[in-house]
Amino acid sequence: MSSVKAELLTSPAAVKFKDSMGGQYDEGYVKISPPGHVQPAGFMDDLPKILDFQVRPDDVWVVTFPKCGTTWSQELVWLLMNDLDFDQAKKVPLIDRFPFLEASTIIPQAVKKPPHSLDVVGGMKSPRLIKCHLPVELLPKQIWSVKPKIIYVARNAKDVIVSYYYHHRLWNECTLTLDEFAECFMENVVSYLPFWDHILAFWRLRNEPNILFYSYEDMKTDLAAVVRKVADFLERPVPAEKLPQLLDHLSFQKMRDNRAVNFEGLVDDQRVGVGLRPTSSDQTFMRSGKVGDGREKLSPEIQQRVDAWTRACLEGSGYDGPR
Ligand code: A3P
């Protein structure tokens, strides 16, 4: 920890992004080095506790860059680990069944209610299911010696930019345009960036026996194949007669209408907690659920820049990225 440094981001793009967040992150964003990872400044208070967090061998972690299919994968993993208990899955909010490790370290002050998410996860019965968006370098150090199962999900950059933009509009009423947000994304001034470093670090670990790597695009192309892969990895086979019900439960339409996974109540709690009006009907967490939104929504000029930036970030890695 002593070797980790946090530097306040002060570039014009960083200030523009911070100012677009309605005062919710007025303390600004920091770049944490190594590895050069961006978080709200307040995150540093909890980083030592995160790095020293006790990991258990039977934990199952879903780790992603935000907007890559985390919720979708969590719901799948929870069902596999809980004998496909669809009734319970519809009754209990996913956030309680499968908590978000660093939630209390990054959400705006107004809704930082006890208990702290690190204590919630620390106090769970085994086997724990844990959601986390942190990069390889900032995960609890014990992860690399205890080696619990980790599922990592990637997604193509353009669709993540669009999805992350609408995420910031939904939770924080970010006032940037989509193209302005895309510029801030490529300049690494938004939480959890840099994007490709996050994905590449896990892509390099994809053949480790305790790591399963797939993409949102894989789920969209053949969800049944991903279900089989995850079921094999977790050693929780799905009886053939149950597969149709599982696929139906995980469909975009069903998840969009399922209050246990669609964040409906939570979004309004947070918005009202920070002085925003409740969501309008066109603002939902389960938003579009498709591949290709980036090509439809980003301007041609920004798309060219994202393509060039992606090529530069992936050059020499041997990985072309999800598509
Ligand atoms: P869009 O904003 O592109 O619609 P995360 O859970 O990592 O935050 O990812 C959220 C993204 O996954 C959103 O993408 C959301 O709509 C999409 N998503 C969630 N459940 C889905 C499902 N069952 N099918 C397809 N997409 C889903």
Side-chain angles (χ1 to χ4, degrees):
M1 181 63 198
S2 56
S3 57
V4 176
K5 286 204 202 79
E7 172 200 343
L8 189 67
L9 295 177
T10 56
S11 69
V15 173
K16 183 172 175 174
F17 178 67
K18 171 177 80 72
D19 290 348
S20 78
M21 295 289 277
Q24 293 165 56
Y25 291 98
D26 264 358
E27 80 278 26
Y29 291 80
V30 290
K31 179 163 102 174
I32 305 162
S33 301
H37 176 77
V38 176
Q39 286 293 353
F43 174 83
M44 291 310 288
D45 297 343
D46 284 325
L47 182 56
K49 277 194 272 172
I50 292 174
L51 292 172
D52 290 335
F53 187 79
Q54 301 282 305
V55 174
R56 302 181 198 158
D58 57 357
D59 287 341
V60 179
W61 291 64
V62 169
V63 182
T64 62
F65 184 90
K67 315 318 290 178
C68 289
T70 329
T71 313
W72 201 3
S73 295
Q74 284 177 273
E75 186 68 348
L76 165 60
V77 169
W78 189 89
L79 283 162
L80 293 174
M81 295 296 291
N82 287 277
D83 298 323
L84 302 178
D85 188 345
F86 294 103
D87 290 340
Q88 197 67 4
K90 283 183 219 153
K91 226 180 279 163
V92 183
L94 183 61
I95 186 112
D96 296 329
R97 291 181 277 127
F98 205 135
F100 177 21
L101 185 74
E102 70 271 22
S104 298
T105 75
I106 56 151
I107 53 176
Q109 193 63 34
V111 290
K112 271 193 190 171
K113 301 180 198 135
H116 195 290
S117 54
L118 286 166
D119 296 329
V120 170
V121 179
M124 279 167 80
K125 279 200 308 213
S126 290
R128 301 181 299 186
L129 306 182
I130 304 170
K131 160 182 165 178
C132 183
H133 288 313
L134 294 171
V136 155
E137 296 84 350
L138 300 183
L139 287 171
K141 285 178 284 185
Q142 281 192 351
I143 268 212
W144 311 111
S145 53
V146 175
K147 297 183 189 284
K149 288 188 168 145
I150 303 175
I151 292 171
Y152 187 89
V153 193
R155 190 179 186 185
N156 81 80
K158 285 182 202 152
D159 290 352
V160 169
I161 290 172
V162 173
S163 186
Y164 208 20
Y165 171 67
Y166 285 104
H167 173 100
H168 282 88
R169 291 198 49 84
L170 178 72
W171 294 90
N172 315 103
E173 205 70 58
C174 172
T175 54
L176 297 181
T177 66
L178 174 57
D179 280 6
E180 285 172 335
F181 181 83
E183 285 171 354
C184 289
F185 190 96
M186 287 185 279
E187 290 205 28
N188 297 330
V189 296
V190 180
S191 295
Y192 292 108
L193 292 164
F195 175 73
W196 284 117
D197 289 357
H198 200 297
I199 293 184
L200 274 176
F202 266 98
W203 184 79
R204 291 189 186 105
L205 294 170
R206 68 195 180 287
N207 295 323
E208 292 294 314
N210 67 317
I211 292 180
L212 179 67
F213 182 103
Y214 61 84
S215 69
Y216 180 92
E217 290 75 6
D218 293 337
M219 295 177 91
K220 287 296 292 186
T221 306
D222 188 348
L223 184 57
V226 174
V227 167
R228 274 193 295 276
K229 209 187 281 191
V230 177
D232 283 353
F233 178 68
L234 296 176
E235 299 168 274
R236 302 282 174 137
V238 180
E241 70 279 8
K242 291 275 191 177
L243 185 62
Q245 190 182 358
L246 178 56
L247 295 177
D248 180 61
H249 180 94
L250 294 172
S251 70
F252 182 67
Q253 288 72 14
K254 287 285 165 67
M255 284 192 55
R256 190 191 53 199
D257 297 338
N258 178 355
R259 278 185 68 87
V261 296
N262 69 13
F263 288 94
E264 250 174 56
L266 280 175
V267 171
D268 278 340
D269 280 357
Q270 157 146 334
R271 289 179 61 102
V272 172
V274 296
L276 296 170
R277 56 165 179 73
T279 43
S280 45
S281 58
D282 61 339
Q283 284 180 301
T284 51
F285 182 91
M286 299 292 173
R287 192 185 57 85
S288 143
K290 60 184 188 195
V291 177
D293 233 15
R295 284 198 301 274
E296 282 172 25
K297 296 210 161 57
L298 295 164
S299 69
E301 193 243 319
I302 285 285
Q303 288 194 48
Q304 278 177 11
R305 283 171 55 190
V306 175
D307 286 339
W309 164 80
T310 291
R311 275 194 301 276
C313 294
L314 294 182
E315 194 179 358
S317 69
Y319 182 49
D320 288 339
R323 37 199 78 227

